[in-house]
Amino acid sequence: MGIRSTFSKPLARWVRQRQQSWREQPGDAQQRWFRQLVDRAGQTQFGRDHHFADIRTQADFRQAVPIRDYEVLKPYIERVTHGEPDILWPGKPAYFAKTSGTTSGTKYIPLTAESLPNHINSARDALLCYVDETGNSAFLDKKLIFLSGSPELDEKAGIHTGRLSGIVNHHIPAYLRSNQMPSYETNTIDDWETKLDRIIDETLAEDMSLISGIPPWVQMYFDRIQARTGKAIKDVFPNFSVFVYGGVNFAPYRDRLFESIGKRIDSIETYPASEGFIAYQDSQTAEGLLLLADSGIYFEFIPADQYFAENPPRLSIDEVELGKNYAVIINNNAGLWGYSLGDTVKFVSRNPHRIVVTGRIKHFISAFGEHVIGEEVEKALHYAMQQQPETEVVEFTVAPMVSPSEGLPYHEWLIEFGQVPRDTARFVHDLDTYLAKLNVYYDDLISGSILQPLKLTALPRGAFQQYMKSQGKLGGQNKVPRLSNDRTLADGLLQVLR
């Protein structure tokens, strides 16, 4: 065993032991963070505007601080980006994480010296929890690859600005830098396809043990390696044993990814966002991701079916129920207050509090009142694929067809297959009937002849890559929305292919 793998085990044990108190009493940890955050920001512009000095309870806080998304919080953030101190958090941010918003254009998310440990330590602890549970630490002595954005940073008002993954890259511990791939020079290449080819040049001859990235982009990396070598990934990287991913539901990609690898390996799911590292998989045997209740974030949860109500309930971690969808609201030590992350989650355990990500609060189809959500379309697709196991799906999205040239409206599923179903008609039937089973409103619309059954549009290989490239969003941390309430994405896909 090398020095990294040897010393990681006592560190992993320490991390797990340190977790124990807040895992068992997350409400207490959350109360401490609530009080600390409000007290620390009392003299900021936001704190004065919202009377933080008068806030004593969480009920006071909810009364004083409304729910906001980026667009509504933007006037405060713009003052921060212009270099003003003490606006959302004392002083100035250490960084701005630059990300794309669907309505706000480019978003600048502040990262402070106090909030950085949430991002850096959480990524570290996800690996260490795996080491402690499985005893597998040998991968730390070999090469590790992180498929991420460029680490090159710009400046805005004197503050370093870049993609979150690029910022985090500057904080990778020194003891891991010597076995981190790809090289800094390659990581700074903007064009994803050029960058990917260079990454393959650098990694083909290396002893890769851990690969991290968003599944569709990792699959693209694997596909190009196989095209070059004609080998399964396990034969190119025999010691590849850990896959770390986040950002999308892994289920639609799992079978094809493991087929490319040529064997089953352990995987670790993470839930990072520019606004905060929310949760990670702390066990290979338990369902869900451990919510990080003691990491600089005070969480609130709004029942998803009440999110758009005039005065929706805002629940603490002690008030959530299992099996219900909640919109995630964060308040953190980067100065985000009552901030709607846009994601929905479901608690699958309360001892400890573990979640699964179920979709986006604004990514749904309700053109006819059905309110189909991401979790439902992913489950329906998974079911249909199980009925015909040879089926491989590369990528997909779903959109409503409100005014077809003939017949009733319907949902259109645009799917890029790696391997088409043996019986396409049965595949469509399985998709439709299982979705109706999951969503009673959709079932009512079908049975009441308001909608006709869904229609499948099979897209050629590379369709989604071609579309994302046309939008300047190929690779990195960019993700394809699973479903939309309009046809912007669907028509964009079809337009690119014409």
Side-chain angles (χ1 to χ4, degrees), residues 342-363:
D343 293 332
T344 58
V345 302
K346 183 182 292 183
F347 284 87
V348 294
S349 167
R350 279 172 48 95
N351 184 27
H353 280 68
R354 291 196 178 100
I355 58 172
V356 293
V357 181
T358 55
R360 298 281 292 170
I361 193 68
K362 292 182 180 179
H363 287 179

Side-chain angles (χ1 to χ4, degrees), residues 154-165:
D154 300 319
E155 282 196 2
K156 195 169 184 65
I159 296 168
H160 290 300
T161 303
R163 299 291 181 184
L164 175 65
S165 58

Side-chain angles (χ1 to χ4, degrees), residues 84-113:
E84 290 188 54
D86 306 321
I87 301 299
L88 289 165
W89 191 255
K92 295 183 180 182
Y95 298 96
F96 290 119
K98 186 178 178 182
T99 185
S100 299
T102 54
T103 59
S104 307
T106 300
K107 299 195 296 184
Y108 294 93
I109 306 298
L111 302 176
T112 64

Side-chain angles (χ1 to χ4, degrees), residues 428-448:
V428 170
H429 173 77
D430 288 339
L431 268 180
D432 204 61
T433 55
Y434 201 76
L435 185 58
K437 181 180 177 181
L438 293 171
N439 187 302
V440 66
Y441 305 110
Y442 180 74
D443 187 35
D444 288 345
L445 291 168
I446 296 291
S447 59

Side-chain angles (χ1 to χ4, degrees), residues 288-487:
L289 312 180
L290 180 69
L291 186 74
L292 303 181
D294 191 27
S295 188
I297 301 173
Y298 168 61
F299 291 100
E300 299 174 273
F301 302 93
I302 297 177
D305 58 2
Q306 300 180 63
Y307 180 84
F308 295 101
E310 186 175 343
N311 188 27
R314 295 162 64 173
L315 308 180
S316 70
I317 196 171
D318 287 333
E319 298 173 296
V320 297
E321 299 177 37
L322 298 181
K324 289 190 174 182
N325 272 310
Y326 295 101
V328 182
I329 310 299
I330 67 171
N331 308 274
N332 73 358
N333 50 11
L336 300 179
W337 302 102
Y339 187 93
S340 178
L341 203 56
D343 293 332
T344 58
V345 302
K346 183 182 292 183
F347 284 87
V348 294
S349 167
R350 279 172 48 95
N351 184 27
H353 280 68
R354 291 196 178 100
I355 58 172
V356 293
V357 181
T358 55
R360 298 281 292 170
I361 193 68
K362 292 182 180 179
H363 287 179
F364 58 86
I365 299 179
S366 199
F368 313 95
E370 63 274 42
H371 206 85
V372 170
I373 63 173
E375 180 187 33
E376 292 166 343
V377 298
E378 287 175 342
K379 283 186 174 180
L381 180 62
H382 183 63
Y383 173 79
M385 291 173 68
Q386 283 183 318
Q387 309 316 302
Q388 300 185 62
E390 76 284 353
T391 306
E392 293 179 0
V393 171
V394 175
E395 194 59 274
F396 78 99
T397 193
V398 188
M401 177 62 79
V402 178
S403 302
S405 56
E406 59 181 49
L408 296 171
Y410 57 88
H411 287 184
E412 182 179 18
W413 287 62
L414 297 97
I415 302 180
E416 179 183 334
F417 290 104
Q419 176 64 48
V420 297
R422 182 179 62 260
D423 185 339
T424 303
R426 180 188 167 199
F427 184 83
V428 170
H429 173 77
D430 288 339
L431 268 180
D432 204 61
T433 55
Y434 201 76
L435 185 58
K437 181 180 177 181
L438 293 171
N439 187 302
V440 66
Y441 305 110
Y442 180 74
D443 187 35
D444 288 345
L445 291 168
I446 296 291
S447 59
S449 296
I450 306 299
L451 294 180
Q452 61 176 307
L454 67 87
K455 293 194 175 183
L456 170 66
T457 298
L459 301 177
R461 291 297 295 270
F464 279 91
Q465 288 181 20
Q466 189 177 341
Y467 171 76
M468 294 294 277
K469 186 175 183 179
S470 75
Q471 301 298 302
K473 293 185 177 181
L474 185 64
Q477 304 301 300
N478 297 302
K479 296 161 282 190
V480 175
R482 286 283 173 256
L483 68 177
S484 311
N485 205 36
D486 59 43
R487 292 195 57 82

